[in-house]
Amino acid sequence: MDTHFTLGRLMIDGSMAEDLADCYGTPTMLGDIVVTRVRSVVAGMVTVDGDVDPVDGEIANRHSVARREHFAFGDTKIELPSDVRAGDVLALVSKA
């Protein structure tokens, strides 16, 4: 699967991740990548659409230059830009 940033947005196999979320809803599974929306960020805990156990991730709908810090997804922690916020689209690499 080809993934890269174009104009500050994450492209997955030629489609913008944000467009995939808008067209197919969230969470959307593309191989081992889950495209989902952030519902809330409270005290270092990120809540997203669906049940995801990620090993890595990135904000997909905008380019962030904020420092990275660890955020919890249930029992798992991954690094994301510190300015992750409700409404962001994330591309998360799933464990399974």
Side-chain angles (χ1 to χ4, degrees), residues 9-83:
R9 297 202 165 135
L10 183 67
M11 302 284 290
I12 302 171
D13 281 346
S15 297
M16 288 190 178
E18 186 174 18
D19 290 347
L20 295 169
D22 290 343
C23 288
Y24 301 109
T26 57
T28 294
M29 192 78 163
L30 300 162
D32 61 350
I33 298 174
V34 178
V35 177
T36 188
R37 286 196 192 276
V38 176
R39 290 294 157 209
S40 67
V41 181
V42 178
M45 173 78 76
V46 177
T47 304
V48 296
D49 292 337
D51 186 24
V52 182
D53 194 13
V55 294
D56 197 10
E58 191 59 64
I59 296 174
N61 62 308
R62 63 184 174 85
H63 179 71
S64 174
V65 294
R67 74 186 189 303
R68 296 180 75 82
E69 63 182 60
H70 285 91
F71 288 90
F73 287 77
D75 293 335
T76 302
K77 286 190 175 186
I78 65 168
E79 276 191 0
L80 289 172
S82 61
D83 63 348

